[in-house]
């Protein structure tokens, strides 16, 4: 995966999961379709996934910075 797509994946995933974690988007959607029993387990899935996407974004930024600083041979 190249640096640009890795960064894009990390940022998009982080934004979507941040919206789901900090706003009641999933609460409203799951309640509307009748799956409100799943709401108790959302924190077990969303918070680790948010951490993974934040780490992925930081890794992509680190990799992008180091690839631009290395001289071409």
């Amino acid at each position: 995966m190249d640096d640009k797509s890795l960064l894009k994946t990390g940022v998009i995933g982080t934004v979507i999961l941040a919206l789901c974690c900090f706003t009641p988007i999933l609460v409203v959607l799951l309640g509307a379709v009748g799956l409100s029993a799943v709401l108790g387990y959302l924190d077990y899935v969303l918070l680790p996934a948010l951490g993974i996407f934040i780490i992925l974004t930081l890794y992509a930024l680190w990799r992008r910075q180091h690839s631009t600083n290395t001289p071409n041979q």
Side-chain angles (χ1 to χ4, degrees):
M1 206 173 212
D2 63 334
D3 295 339
K4 191 174 184 179
S5 64
L6 191 66
L7 182 62
K8 185 190 248 184
T9 303
V11 169
I12 290 172
T14 302
V15 168
I16 290 172
L17 281 171
L19 285 174
C20 291
C21 285
F22 301 119
T23 61
I25 291 174
L26 282 180
V27 174
V28 172
L29 290 176
L30 290 175
V33 296
L35 294 174
S36 59
V38 180
L39 293 177
Y41 300 105
L42 284 179
D43 288 338
Y44 297 123
V45 175
L46 292 179
L47 292 177
L50 181 63
I52 289 169
F53 276 112
I54 289 173
I55 290 170
L56 181 68
T57 303
L58 293 174
Y59 172 70
L61 288 172
W62 176 81
R63 190 170 150 180
R64 187 176 188 185
Q65 180 182 12
H66 283 282
S67 68
T68 57
N69 287 340
T70 56
N72 293 334
Q73 295 179 358

